[in-house]
């Protein structure tokens, strides 16, 4: 190969290397921005787990309202029947029974709502911790012990996060990200 061909080949190699370096820099910047956004999202989820107070109120009000509507309809049917038959025998007892059952059902519904709110907050906390653990490569056993959370729960959350289709990691080759199939 002549000197002109070598110089031309070297120039082409240098050009390709410069393009590859520019692409790598852009990819690295994009990966860092994505990692920063993901970390910010996980930190926000960790700081604000579960439903907001407005969402909790709406869920409670709507579920209790639906239950009250059902019992009001039953009481109205009983009243209509007593008026239609002109026989009020047993009406008071039926209304008392409906009121007792409604009170019990409202208490049970409120308890189920509170459990759902607590489970949502716990799930969000575990997801955020698992996500941060995956982002920064933190040992979930150590993280779990530091926060007083069983490591098995973090591992399960981490596995769920990994199975979600997105992965971001920092390894010996630098930043890597992609989508799992």
């Amino acid at each position: 190969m002549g000197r002109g061909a070598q110089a031309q080949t070297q120039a082409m190699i240098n050009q390709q290397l410069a393009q590859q370096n520019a692409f790598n820099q852009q990819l690295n910047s994009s990966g860092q921005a994505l990692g920063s956004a993901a970390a910010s999202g996980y930190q926000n989820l960790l700081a604000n787990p579960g439903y907001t107070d407005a969402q909790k109120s709406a869920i409670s009000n709507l579920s209790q309202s639906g239950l009250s509507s059902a019992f009001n309809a039953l009481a109205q049917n009983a009243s209509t029947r007593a008026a239609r038959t002109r026989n009020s025998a047993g009406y008071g007892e039926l209304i008392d029974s409906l009121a007792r059952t409604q009170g019990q059902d409202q208490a049970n519904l409120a308890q189920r709502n509170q459990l759902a709110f607590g489970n949502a907050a716990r799930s969000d906390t575990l997801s955020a911790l698992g996500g941060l653990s995956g982002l920064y490569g933190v040992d979930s056993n150590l993280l779990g012990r530091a926060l007083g959370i069983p490591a098995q729960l973090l591992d399960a959350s981490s596995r769920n996060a990994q199975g979600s289709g997105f992965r971001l990691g920092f390894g010996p080759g630098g930043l890597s990200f992609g989508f799992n199939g």
Side-chain angles (χ1 to χ4, degrees):
M1 183 182 326
R3 288 196 188 270
Q6 278 182 330
Q8 184 180 12
T9 302
Q10 187 62 44
M12 291 173 67
I13 290 172
N14 290 342
Q15 180 185 8
Q16 183 64 32
L17 184 60
Q19 288 175 347
Q20 187 64 44
N21 285 339
F23 178 75
N24 287 343
Q25 183 62 36
Q26 181 183 7
L27 191 59
N28 188 29
S29 296
S30 296
Q32 286 177 345
L34 184 60
S36 178
S40 175
Y42 284 134
Q43 288 168 348
N44 184 38
L45 186 60
L46 189 58
N48 304 302
Y51 297 108
T52 65
D53 288 339
Q55 290 170 323
K56 288 178 188 177
S57 178
I59 290 168
S60 295
N61 289 340
L62 289 173
S63 60
Q64 291 290 351
S65 174
L67 185 62
S68 292
S69 294
F71 278 99
N72 288 342
L74 290 171
Q76 184 62 40
N77 284 346
S79 176
T80 302
R81 188 181 76 191
R84 187 181 68 242
T85 62
R86 293 189 184 126
N87 182 359
S88 63
Y91 174 74
E93 187 178 320
L94 177 60
I95 294 299
D96 288 345
S97 175
L98 283 174
R100 273 191 307 276
T101 304
Q102 181 180 8
Q104 290 168 346
D105 287 354
Q106 284 178 327
N108 288 337
L109 181 58
Q111 182 182 26
R112 283 194 307 269
N113 283 343
Q114 290 302 315
L115 286 171
F117 298 155
N119 287 339
R122 182 176 183 204
S123 175
D124 285 355
T125 299
L126 292 175
S127 293
L129 290 172
L132 287 170
S133 172
L135 274 178
Y136 297 116
V138 175
D139 180 11
S140 59
N141 288 324
L142 178 63
L143 183 61
R145 275 184 277 157
L147 297 170
I149 298 172
Q152 305 90 302
L153 295 177
L154 285 178
D155 287 341
S157 178
S158 176
R159 284 191 301 274
N160 287 340
Q162 289 173 354
S164 69
F166 178 77
R167 64 177 165 77
L168 176 69
F170 298 89
L175 178 69
S176 68
F177 64 95
F179 295 92
N180 295 331

